[in-house]
Amino acid sequence: MHLSGVFRKLKNEIIRKYYTYAAEPFHPLPRAPITASAEEAIKVVKSGDNIFVHSAAATPSKLLAALANHGKQNRLERVTVCHIHIEGAMEYLKPEYSGIFRDNSFFIGANAREAVNTGRADFVPIFLSEIPLLFHRKIIQLDVALINVSPPDQHGFCSFGPSVDVTRSAVKNAKYIIGQVNPKIPRTFGDGTIHVSHLDCIVNVDEELPQRPPAKISPIENAIGRLIADNLVDNGATLQMGIGNIPDAVLSSLKSHRDLGIHSEMFSDGVVDLVEAGCITNSQKKILPGKIVGSFCLGSRRLYDFLDNNPFIVMGDVQWVNSSSLIAQNPKVTAINSCIEIDLTGQVVSDSIGTRMYSGVGGQVDFLRGAAICPDGGKPILALPSSTKKGESKIVPFLKQGAGIVTTRAHVHYVVTEYGYTNLFGKNLRQRAFELIRIAHPDHREELEKAAFERLNCMPSP
């Protein structure tokens, strides 16, 4: 019998005798996984399967390499690979793997953009908070989950470490789970725990996690960060930071703030600096007071060491972390996100440049909405440089053809560029155009004013 058939037969025989079996990964089962090499373990994948891949810093690179090799050597067909952002080389996305693998991304990283934009891979527009529903509701039925976990502790529990995100829902619904067991994975508290008995096969590795040290922040990004920190972040605020240099610039400008809290789908090294400076205490939060709440992380080894076995941090399932109604229960929720383009009425593009797909919907709307309905005055913030590197205005009369609106004009409140900030909430189209032109690059303001008049049939004014 094929090795994969042996694994499945053993699993079924044992579980059928255990009358209280549940897919809940905290639940110990009277079974043990088989240990194999990556090449042996991945043989369970067959043509037509749906494969889930663990994300970000927990990308199981050895299993992905074995998957690509297995698909080519055994002439597999129609294998779908789904994931949010994953790090490193994606061998199976190369043109020579067309027909073998079809990538289905919920958030596009730089390593997947070319494949998506040339039609060899797919993209699903979806709120980060709702991705687990795809698995729970069997809209996407997972055959195999490839995950990266810490070694089991004395009770047999492994940790998802820096990436709980949508992975917990995937392992609860996958028919077969291969765990890449890596001692470099930090052990985290919260929802990211799976008992080793839920793994069908383990592959032992010892390799460093993908790292993304803090990038150099430009003068424009620093100016935006200071504007937000000095004018829009209160002491005692609960912060969410999206991905990118601008959220990092905000964090670096908050060293004089007090009693900040973190409830964010992701965070990076900048949070460690603020903890060490005594700025982050989480003392004012209503949801898990005293603790940082996150769902995934990506940064340097310093960040992963900060996560390891640290009860100050709770890593949760993204469906819970990104629930707008839950977010809103915290005080002074300040959600800081970046975007690609905004038109004069406040429509925001964050996932594409015209028709060219760039990233994804992510958690932007989840947190902007949570901040907006925060009862004590939250601040939903969108920040962007006023111009592109080519000198084109990012505040535009009309969005580029094919651009996708991630955040509607009804969701938009605060908009920040290096030339200032404004709050569009409650403003009509004429007033919105005036406010956005005011914070546009000076070289483009006259042109934008003329375009606004042509579009609105009246002059933009306060």
Side-chain angles (χ1 to χ4, degrees):
M1 183 183 291
H2 192 280
L3 183 61
S4 62
V6 173
F7 290 168
R8 283 185 171 132
K9 185 173 185 291
L10 287 170
K11 180 179 180 181
N12 291 336
E13 285 179 354
I14 293 170
I15 288 175
R16 284 175 186 149
K17 296 176 183 176
Y18 193 54
Y19 73 97
T20 58
Y21 169 74
E24 171 54 56
F26 284 142
H27 177 216
L29 301 173
R31 59 187 294 272
I34 292 171
T35 300
S37 68
E39 293 72 22
E40 291 172 331
I42 213 71
K43 289 179 181 178
V44 72
V45 176
K46 62 186 187 303
S47 293
D49 275 355
N50 277 325
I51 312 299
F52 172 81
V53 180
H54 205 168
S55 56
T59 301
S61 56
K62 194 163 187 176
L63 293 179
L64 278 181
L67 177 67
N69 189 54
H70 169 59
K72 181 180 282 188
Q73 284 193 347
N74 294 281
R75 299 181 180 180
L76 299 186
E77 298 177 337
R78 299 171 287 101
V79 176
T80 300
V81 183
C82 64
H83 55 86
I84 56 176
H85 170 72
I86 56 179
E87 284 284 303
M90 297 170 72
E91 177 72 19
Y92 69 90
L93 272 183
K94 292 181 177 179
E96 58 262 38
Y97 292 88
S98 293
I100 302 173
F101 298 106
R102 184 81 181 178
D103 195 67
N104 197 32
S105 177
F106 309 126
F107 193 93
I108 306 166
N111 50 7
R113 283 178 196 141
E114 189 269 340
V116 170
N117 287 297
T118 55
R120 299 198 320 274
D122 297 309
F123 165 65
V124 179
I126 187 170
F127 298 126
L128 186 56
S129 61
E130 293 188 342
I131 295 173
L133 297 178
L134 298 178
F135 308 139
H136 292 316
R137 295 177 179 174
K138 310 299 182 186
I139 295 168
I140 294 178
Q141 299 189 39
L142 296 175
D143 295 291
V144 182
L146 309 181
I147 63 173
N148 207 353
V149 295
S150 69
D153 64 11
Q154 68 270 33
H155 302 293
F157 287 96
C158 304
S159 175
F160 296 150
S163 291
V164 178
D165 44 67
V166 305
T167 303
R168 191 172 193 275
S169 58
V171 300
K172 285 186 70 174
N173 292 283
K175 298 172 186 174
Y176 195 88
I177 305 169
I178 303 175
Q180 180 176 288
V181 177
N182 186 357
K184 296 292 196 304
I185 293 280
R187 184 173 293 279
T188 56
F189 292 83
D191 294 329
T193 301
I194 183 169
H195 194 268
V196 70
S197 60
H198 283 261
L199 304 178
D200 294 285
C201 182
I202 63 174
V203 175
N204 290 305
V205 304
D206 188 348
E207 60 183 20
E208 187 51 85
L209 307 187
Q211 294 190 42
R212 190 173 290 186
K216 184 177 180 180
I217 298 173
S218 72
I220 288 174
E221 291 161 343
N222 268 322
I224 294 171
R226 286 194 299 272
L227 271 170
I228 294 172
D230 294 346
N231 298 282
L232 299 177
V233 180
D234 298 326
N235 289 327
T238 303
L239 301 179
Q240 175 261 341
M241 298 77 58
I243 297 172
N245 282 6
I246 289 176
D248 288 347
V250 177
L251 289 174
S252 68
S253 301
L254 290 173
K255 297 290 177 62
S256 62
H257 282 64
R258 301 187 304 277
D259 291 325
L260 298 173
I262 302 293
H263 185 118
S264 182
E265 84 265 33
M266 72 86 63
F267 59 89
S268 54
D269 289 68
V271 166
V272 184
D273 295 331
L274 289 181
V275 170
E276 292 178 350
C279 304
I280 292 174
T281 65
N282 301 292
S283 62
Q284 308 300 308
K285 288 172 56 187
K286 302 301 180 187
I287 304 299
L288 292 181
K291 297 186 177 184
I292 290 171
V293 172
S295 193
F296 69 96
C297 293
L298 184 59
S300 69
R301 170 43 63 179
R302 177 184 177 223
L303 175 66
Y304 305 146
D305 290 341
F306 174 70
L307 291 176
D308 189 39
N309 205 35
N310 189 348
F312 187 50
I313 305 158
V314 174
M315 302 295 282
D317 185 302
V318 79
Q319 190 174 349
W320 178 81
V321 173
N322 280 40
S323 165
S324 296
S325 59
L326 187 83
I327 294 162
Q329 295 176 43
N330 284 310
K332 302 177 182 177
V333 176
T334 305
I336 305 161
N337 289 269
S338 53
C339 57
I340 292 172
E341 185 178 62
I342 181 169
D343 79 359
L344 289 173
T345 71
Q347 297 184 109
V348 175
V349 175
S350 300
D351 69 352
S352 66
I353 301 172
T355 58
R356 181 172 175 263
M357 298 309 305
Y358 187 80
S359 56
V361 174
Q364 183 171 116
V365 176
D366 296 331
F367 276 92
L368 290 177
R369 193 61 191 149
I373 61 177
C374 175
D376 66 349
K379 293 189 177 75
I381 300 168
L382 284 162
L384 70 167
S386 63
S387 302
T388 68
K389 292 179 180 178
K390 295 181 179 179
E392 299 171 353
S393 181
K394 289 194 168 193
I395 297 173
V396 296
F398 299 96
L399 301 178
K400 290 182 178 66
Q401 183 176 1
I405 297 168
V406 166
T407 300
T408 73
R409 49 193 167 206
H411 284 98
V412 172
H413 286 226
Y414 290 92
V415 180
V416 185
T417 73
E418 71 272 27
Y419 290 101
Y421 67 93
T422 185
N423 186 1
L424 301 186
F425 183 62
K427 289 183 168 58
N428 58 42
L429 299 185
R430 170 177 52 80
Q431 293 168 327
R432 284 167 175 246
F434 175 85
E435 291 295 324
L436 289 168
I437 292 168
R438 183 175 61 80
I439 63 171
H441 193 286
D443 291 349
H444 300 292
R445 290 176 189 172
E446 182 179 351
E447 180 185 349
L448 288 170
E449 192 172 79
K450 290 178 182 177
F453 180 80
E454 291 176 2
R455 177 170 181 175
L456 302 175
N457 295 309
C458 63
M459 282 299 293
S461 56

